[in-house]
Amino acid sequence: MSRAWIADLPTIAGADVCVVGSGAAGSTAAIAAARGGASVLLIEKLPFLGGTSTAVLDTFYGFWTPGDAPRKVVGGLAHEVVAALRDLGPVLERPNTYGAGTGITYLAEHLKVVWEQLVTDSGVRVLLHAMLQDVVVDGRDRVRSIVVATKAGLRRIDARTFIDASGDADLCAFAGFGFETAGDIDPAQTLTTTFRMANVDQERRRPVTTADLHSAMAAAAADGYDLPRREGSDHATPIDGVTATIMTRLEPNERHAGGRLVNTTDPFFLTAAEITGRRQALEYARFLVDRVPGYEAASLVALGTQVGIRETRRVYGDARLTREDVLAARQFDDQIGLCGAPIEDHRAGPDTRWTYLPPGAAAGIPFATLVVRDATNVLVAGRCFSATHDAHASVRSMAQCMAMGQAAGTAAAMAAGHSADGAVRAVSPESLRTQLAGDGAILDLVQEHVA
Ligand SMILES: Cc1cc2nc3c(=O)[nH]c(=O)nc-3n(C[C@H](O)[C@H](O)[C@H](O)COP(=O)(O)OP(=O)(O)OC[C@H]3O[C@@H](n4cnc5c(N)ncnc54)[C@H](O)[C@@H]3O)c2cc1C
């Protein structure tokens, strides 16, 4: 289809760096790029920043390695985000579900404001309610412009360097760059609609162990409650009497006749997932009230703004992180961050499976997994980075997404500064690593990061 009409669209003033998507990865990328001296435009389809970090969740994982002596693996901008959350109000540091140090449980409403403060203070221009719809590629590999749908109609935006932090790799997909869709080869991660309960009696809830909760789920399911997942969890939040849950489970994809994969990038599938997820959340809330001590007088107070999507498209980068890389805790010359989290597989069916790295170990995240293989001026960050299904299942926690975002933003500012065409391969991994280390990022495992 000819894209000539795009040239006639009204424009929004462009930038050195345009970041699409403002999740943990995209917001961090925008901050880092602006602090690196680039003019930056951040595009987000929701009415607030943060993506999954504010629309779905409330706990940062991934800062630590598992084991008896957890080692810190993420610093830099992610630390600033946590410090800014502490300044705004209470955060709860609690043991991580899979035994990797502590997680940081925050108030999502506070995090929305923290992202806004950090992003705007660093000079980023933000466009909310703006959804990427198309991409103009010069030749086969240089993105010149993107098209966004806004309340005022379609608008064109030009930039030198782009960062695809859309989680779903929308920019790369519209541009025709290579990616793998979750479910193509390995079963995709399931989806979860999160919900919160208020008026929980914490004193009565506390003695209920995880094993108790899971047996109660199994018993309730046998009695006719519709609970597809039997090992979901609830956790305390910084608000007294309010708990949050990761409990529901939705099938991630289905094959239509002819083998076409339908997943969460399909509008009708996504619609059905949202509706089914909310219905399921109500059933889990009913179960909690009827069957779990402490919930007798509780009520559901909030559903996640949207269904939680763990995995959709994974772009092909200059390198691809694999299961073997993760489990062997492989180190790379160009690594821009670390991950010690186990491979966490939420497959269809009742159970989640974890496969661990050796205690205290962490795999490197190569810069080359953020460099889009088929493009000259595009980086990815966050859950659409270049990895196999298994490696992705380890590296997708929000601390790692923030580390990737900081690296991609820093690199994009360097690329836009180095060359008029924003070529990302003009950035030397050595100079990127030097800059990141100077900005507090943790790039290599060293002894002083032991807790
Ligand atoms: C149910 C669930 C539980 C999880 N539990 C945890 C946990 O406890 N702790 C943890 O650390 N991690 C957890 N994770 C993983 C983690 O939350 C995600 O991997 C991470 O938040 C992804 O961040 P991201 O920035 O890459 O993507 P996202 O957060 O998905 O951000 C992408 C952003 O791009 C925007 N966007 C998408 N398409 C467009 C478009 N076309 N135009 C404009 N904007 C667009 C979206 O609105 C969004 O804001 C969980 C994930 C899920 C789904």
Side-chain angles (χ1 to χ4, degrees):
M1 184 178 67
S2 163
R3 285 183 160 84
W5 58 273
I6 292 176
D8 296 328
L9 285 178
T11 55
I12 288 172
D16 295 332
V17 177
C18 178
V19 182
V20 175
S22 74
S27 289
T28 320
I31 297 163
R35 290 186 185 175
S39 61
V40 181
L41 184 60
L42 175 59
I43 306 293
E44 171 55 54
K45 70 179 162 77
L46 295 174
F48 50 83
L49 301 178
T52 307
S53 75
T54 48
V56 179
L57 295 180
D58 69 353
T59 304
F60 291 141
Y61 280 163
F63 280 108
W64 301 94
T65 62
D68 292 336
R71 301 167 96 184
K72 186 134 219 192
V73 289
V74 174
L77 264 173
H79 267 188
E80 272 187 60
V81 174
V82 174
L85 279 167
R86 287 190 199 282
D87 284 348
L88 268 193
V91 300
L92 198 65
E93 204 158 339
R94 61 182 178 89
N96 164 287
T97 313
Y98 49 79
T102 49
I104 305 285
T105 300
Y106 52 80
L107 298 178
E109 307 308 322
H110 280 180
L111 183 56
K112 289 175 186 169
V113 176
V114 164
W115 286 127
E116 285 163 6
Q117 278 173 352
L118 291 173
V119 161
T120 54
D121 286 357
S122 61
V124 174
R125 274 187 302 141
V126 178
L127 201 58
L128 299 175
H129 290 292
M131 186 159 179
L132 175 77
Q133 288 296 295
D134 210 343
V135 176
V136 181
V137 183
D138 278 342
R140 294 173 65 87
D141 55 13
R142 184 175 183 280
V143 173
R144 174 158 41 105
S145 322
I146 60 170
V147 177
V148 294
T150 74
K151 196 74 183 155
L154 294 180
R155 292 291 183 271
R156 202 186 79 227
I157 297 168
D158 299 340
R160 279 188 197 172
T161 305
F162 291 85
I163 299 176
D164 186 345
S166 65
D168 299 328
D170 281 5
L171 187 150
C172 290
F174 283 128
F177 304 146
F179 60 82
E180 195 178 348
T181 304
D184 268 350
I185 299 171
D186 297 288
Q189 303 269 8
T190 51
L191 287 68
T192 295
T193 296
T194 53
F195 64 94
R196 270 171 278 163
M197 301 290 289
N199 205 24
V200 180
D201 182 337
Q202 308 275 29
E203 290 308 311
R204 281 183 48 70
R205 166 64 189 88
R206 208 161 285 127
V208 179
T209 64
T210 307
D212 295 338
L213 182 67
H214 295 174
S215 344
M217 282 177 177
D223 291 345
Y225 286 73
D226 186 9
L227 309 178
R229 184 184 187 191
R230 315 282 156 70
E231 38 68 278
S233 60
D234 62 340
H235 59 259
T237 71
I239 303 176
D240 199 27
V242 174
T243 61
T245 67
I246 310 273
M247 269 187 193
T248 67
R249 171 158 285 178
L250 294 136
E251 294 292 327
N253 51 29
E254 45 188 58
R255 279 193 191 278
H256 277 191
R260 190 171 73 86
L261 185 75
V262 178
N263 70 2
T264 44
T265 59
D266 177 282
F268 286 103
F269 185 86
L270 187 54
T271 304
E274 296 285 7
I275 292 169
T276 310
R278 283 188 275 271
R279 194 178 303 144
Q280 223 183 77
L282 261 61
E283 180 70 347
Y284 275 90
R286 184 170 79 96
F287 151 74
L288 287 170
V289 171
D290 290 354
R291 302 286 180 112
V292 180
Y295 278 95
E296 295 86 351
S299 311
L300 183 143
V301 276
L303 291 159
T305 309
Q306 59 186 23
V307 65
I309 299 169
R310 294 181 169 86
E311 184 189 21
T312 36
R313 304 185 183 107
R314 288 173 274 108
V315 171
Y316 283 113
D318 281 357
R320 199 149 189 79
L321 199 70
T322 65
R323 176 186 180 85
E324 294 70 34
D325 294 334
V326 168
L327 293 181
R330 194 169 158 203
Q331 305 299 296
F332 302 86
D333 290 343
D334 67 338
Q335 67 196 39
I336 47 77
L338 292 166
C339 179
I343 293 173
E344 178 177 304
D345 216 351
H346 293 260
R347 297 194 173 187
D351 299 324
T352 301
R353 279 171 277 171
W354 284 277
T355 312
Y356 284 80
L357 288 69
I365 306 170
F367 176 53
T369 61
L370 310 186
V371 178
V372 175
R373 181 192 69 186
D374 300 335
T376 59
N377 65 333
V378 184
L379 296 165
V380 277
R383 69 179 177 85
C384 53
F385 85 118
S386 179
T388 62
H389 166 80
D390 284 335
H392 176 273
S394 164
V395 181
R396 67 193 171 79
S397 289
M398 291 192 276
Q400 278 64 40
C401 288
M402 290 190 272
M404 286 190 259
Q406 181 169 2
T410 305
M414 288 171 144
H418 284 327
S419 69
D421 58 3
V424 293
R425 290 180 188 78
V427 176
S428 91
E430 295 73 29
S431 53
L432 174 62
R433 279 172 49 86
T434 304
Q435 183 65 49
L436 289 171
D439 293 337
I442 299 175
L443 307 179
D444 304 291
L445 261 184
V446 289
Q447 207 53 36
E448 64 259 31
H449 298 307
V450 175

